Amino acid sequence: MRQALIQARCAAEQDEVPVGAVVVLNDEIIGTGRNQPLGTHDPTGHAEIVALRNAACNLENYRLVGTTLYVTLEPCLMCAGAIIQARIERVVFGAFDEKAGAVGSTANLLQSPLANHQCRVTAGVLGDECAAVLEQFFTELRSANQEGSPTCS
């Protein structure tokens, strides 16, 4: 999770929402990713998707059987779908996403009997630290937006 946090901080430095992810196989990182939908103009540029793509390229296989995905924020529906398609064995996430999280908050797609694959899930790992990175980013963003907004007289 510490490596995923490094990716999240890199995303923040690029003015992207600070979410980071890593894919691990046999205690080795085989894929990394950070949010980049703004910079790449790609709605699928979420940290999880980027990490899955990177891992699949490294393994030369779109099936990531036996892997663990570490991500700083609970995956959304899109990312949960990609996780299922990749056949990730386990997902470990930090902060809960009460509005869009699809791994326990608003839904639990990764363990749904409706899906053709289920994953083991570990939630809340370094959750406070992961949430703090997000909170700091949005606090600074709101502050910058207020400073730049015109005042009424």
Side-chain angles (χ1 to χ4, degrees), residues 1 6 13-14 18 41 49 53 62 68 71 83 107 116 120 143-144 150 153:
M1 187 62 77
I6 290 169
E13 289 173 8
Q14 296 172 343
H41 310 291
I49 303 290
R53 286 178 179 154
Y62 73 104
T68 299
V71 60
I83 290 164
N116 62 343
R120 291 184 293 127
S143 176
S153 48

Side-chain angles (χ1 to χ4, degrees), residues 8-75:
R9 290 184 181 102
C10 288
E13 289 173 8
Q14 296 172 343
D15 295 325
E16 299 277 3
V17 174
V19 179
V22 296
V23 179
V24 175
L25 177 64
N26 299 326
D27 296 322
E28 181 182 339
I29 294 174
I30 61 166
T32 62
R34 59 180 164 262
N35 264 10
Q36 49 187 275
L38 299 173
T40 60
H41 310 291
D42 180 0
T44 67
H46 291 199
E48 300 94 325
I49 303 290
V50 175
L52 294 177
R53 286 178 179 154
N54 186 238
C57 284
N58 286 332
L59 288 184
E60 297 181 347
N61 192 338
Y62 73 104
R63 298 283 195 222
L64 302 175
V65 176
T67 61
T68 299
L69 173 70
Y70 293 86
V71 60
T72 58
L73 182 65
E74 179 182 359

Side-chain angles (χ1 to χ4, degrees), residues 87-99:
R87 304 299 193 267
I88 299 291
E89 182 176 315
R90 180 176 176 224
V91 172
V92 179
F93 72 86
F96 284 88
D97 185 345
E98 300 298 330
K99 292 181 182 178

